């Protein structure tokens, strides 16, 4: 059975603006999503008018980070759908990524018509701090909400204002919740995952290189930063923070030139 897709989009901009790449993404998203809920903490009235009429807009006060926006979108759909989640797939995306070529990402998501009930998906997975799915874009079957542990976890999300606590409780906490409930973590991007070897001989060689040759532990790093070219080429997205920080340790040579060439540099730096 092909399940209907619901998108919950968490938006934040310090000046209350909505970037052109997000507008483009939302407009194209209407072709594949049955319901789209857009939650913003600071959007201006004149910016709201730019968003397609069929998209539900929720404006809330600026506290709680993206996970509290995700919760507000989930609460709206829970009420509208009367808790009938089993025939839906839920997708959660936030504005921390720049959608340079949104059709690439949307084409990928459109193909995920069947998500197994025992799977938790994301674009990327990382072993940084602990094994988890990155929460700038993740999705799973609505049937998981029939699990009381998962339903109550979402119901009890609090508007935390400490970023480290948000990461611990929610970004890492969500994956930990899934693992505890025997839900398998899956990601589209696997290059960093494959670098984590369980072969004892390869592990010895890997540790030697890490200790003596100072080779980075890429399998423990955030892949969307270290492998940003792959994410751009495969999914048409780049992390906003990566563009703004322009940190050389991520091999960002040519990054800003690329974003500028595509016409998105000013929007990215002002976000």
């Amino acid at each position: 059975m092909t399940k209907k897709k619901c998108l919950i989009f968490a938006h934040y901009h310090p000046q209350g603006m909505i970037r052109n790449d997000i507008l483009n993404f939302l407009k194209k998203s209407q072709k594949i999503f049955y319901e789209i809920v857009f939650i913003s903490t600071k959007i201006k009235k004149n910016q709201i008018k730019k968003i397609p009429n069929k998209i539900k807009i929720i404006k809330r006060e600026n506290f709680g980070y993206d996970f509290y926006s995700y919760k507000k979108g989930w609460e709206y759909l829970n009420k509208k759908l009367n808790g009938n989640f089993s025939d839906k797939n839920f997708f959660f995306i936030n504005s921390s990524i720049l959608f340079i070529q949104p059709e690439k990402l949307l084409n990928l998501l459109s193909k995920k018509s069947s998500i197994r009930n025992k799977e938790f998906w994301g674009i990327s997975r990382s072993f940084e701090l602990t094994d988890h799915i990155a929460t700038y874009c993740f999705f799973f079957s609505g049937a998981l909400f029939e699990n009381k542990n998962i339903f109550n976890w979402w119901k009890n999300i609090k508007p935390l204002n400490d970023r480290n606590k948000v990461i611990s409780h929610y970004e890492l906490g969500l994956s930990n919740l899934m693992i505890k409930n025997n839900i398998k973590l899956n990601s589209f991007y696997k290059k960093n995952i494959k670098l984590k070897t369980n072969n004892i001989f390869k592990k010895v060689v890997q540790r030697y290189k890490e200790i003596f040759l100072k080779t980075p532990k890429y399998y423990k790093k955030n892949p969307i930063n270290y492998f940003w070219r792959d994410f751009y080429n495969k999914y048409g997205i780049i992390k906003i923070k990566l563009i703004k920080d322009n940190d050389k340790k991520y091999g960002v040579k040519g990054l800003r030139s690329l974003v500028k060439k595509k016409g998105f540099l000013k929007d990215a730096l002002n976000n």
Side-chain angles (χ1 to χ4, degrees):
M1 178 182 71
T2 300
K3 294 185 178 182
K4 294 179 179 178
K5 298 179 177 68
C6 298
L7 171 63
I8 295 174
F9 192 100
H11 168 264
Y12 170 76
H13 192 284
Q15 284 83 45
M17 310 298 285
I18 182 166
R19 303 192 317 258
N20 289 327
D21 66 294
I22 293 177
L23 281 174
N24 191 29
F25 175 80
L26 291 173
K27 289 174 182 177
K28 292 185 176 182
S29 292
Q30 293 179 104
K31 296 178 181 179
I32 69 169
F33 290 104
Y34 165 72
E35 289 276 359
I36 300 178
V37 185
F38 177 89
I39 308 94
S40 180
T41 58
K42 207 174 181 179
I43 192 168
K44 293 180 178 179
K45 288 183 179 180
N46 66 336
Q47 297 295 296
I48 291 176
K49 296 176 182 178
K50 298 178 180 181
I51 299 172
N53 294 329
K54 292 183 180 180
I55 295 175
K56 171 64 180 177
I57 301 170
I58 298 175
K59 185 178 180 180
R60 69 176 188 84
E61 292 187 30
N62 185 27
F63 54 78
Y65 287 89
D66 289 330
F67 255 97
Y68 200 60
S69 288
Y70 287 154
K71 179 189 178 180
K72 287 300 179 182
W74 173 76
E75 284 180 336
Y76 168 80
L77 288 176
N78 183 29
K79 185 176 181 180
K80 181 173 182 178
L81 301 174
N82 198 26
N84 181 21
F85 293 148
S86 60
D87 63 339
K88 311 288 190 306
N89 287 330
F90 285 79
F91 294 74
F92 299 80
I93 299 177
N94 67 36
S95 57
S96 69
I97 50 177
L98 186 68
F99 304 92
I100 298 179
Q101 294 177 308
E103 59 279 355
K104 287 186 176 182
L105 178 60
L106 290 170
N107 183 51
L108 191 71
L109 299 181
S110 68
K111 293 177 181 178
K112 291 302 296 180
S113 55
S114 60
I115 302 174
R116 294 177 182 177
N117 295 348
K118 287 290 185 177
E119 293 180 340
F120 177 46
W121 278 88
I123 298 299
S124 58
R125 179 180 174 186
S126 173
F127 292 102
E128 188 175 23
L129 299 178
T130 185
D131 188 7
H132 69 283
I133 295 296
T135 56
Y136 62 85
C137 179
F138 63 94
F139 42 98
F140 52 85
S141 168
L144 290 187
F145 288 121
E146 295 175 0
N147 181 315
K148 289 184 179 180
N149 294 328
I150 294 173
F151 182 90
N152 289 333
W153 187 91
W154 279 90
K155 183 180 178 181
N156 293 325
I157 289 176
K158 307 297 182 186
L160 302 177
N161 283 322
D162 184 317
R163 186 173 180 274
N164 290 327
K165 287 184 177 179
V166 171
I167 292 172
S168 175
H169 286 64
Y170 299 136
E171 177 158 8
L172 303 180
L174 179 55
S175 288
N176 188 44
L177 170 75
M178 295 298 184
I179 291 171
K180 285 183 177 179
N181 285 273
N182 298 313
I183 310 299
K184 184 180 179 181
L185 306 188
N186 278 315
S187 63
F188 284 121
Y189 191 77
K190 300 182 186 298
K191 185 175 180 178
N192 62 312
I193 304 299
K194 292 178 180 178
L195 291 174
K196 187 178 186 299
T197 181
N198 290 317
N199 181 289
I200 186 65
F201 299 106
K202 290 182 179 179
K203 190 173 287 188
V204 170
V205 174
Q206 189 174 60
R207 289 296 293 148
Y208 174 86
K209 290 181 178 179
E210 290 168 356
I211 295 171
F212 297 103
L213 302 182
K214 306 300 181 183
T215 302
K217 299 178 183 179
Y218 289 117
Y219 55 90
K220 284 191 174 183
K221 304 296 184 180
N222 188 344
I224 197 171
N225 290 332
Y226 282 90
F227 302 106
W228 65 267
R229 295 180 193 276
D230 288 349
F231 280 78
Y232 169 69
N233 291 326
K234 290 175 179 288
Y235 317 122
I237 60 174
I238 296 176
K239 263 283 187 178
I240 292 287
K241 192 175 188 302
L242 185 68
I243 301 168
K244 294 179 74 172
D245 292 351
N246 205 34
D247 194 328
K248 292 181 179 179
K249 72 180 180 182
Y250 297 124
V252 293
K253 184 178 180 180
L255 172 61
R256 286 193 174 183
S257 296
L258 169 65
V259 177
K260 184 178 181 180
K261 184 178 179 180
K262 297 295 180 179
F264 294 108
L265 184 59
K266 185 177 180 180
D267 276 354
L269 296 178
N270 289 335
N271 198 135

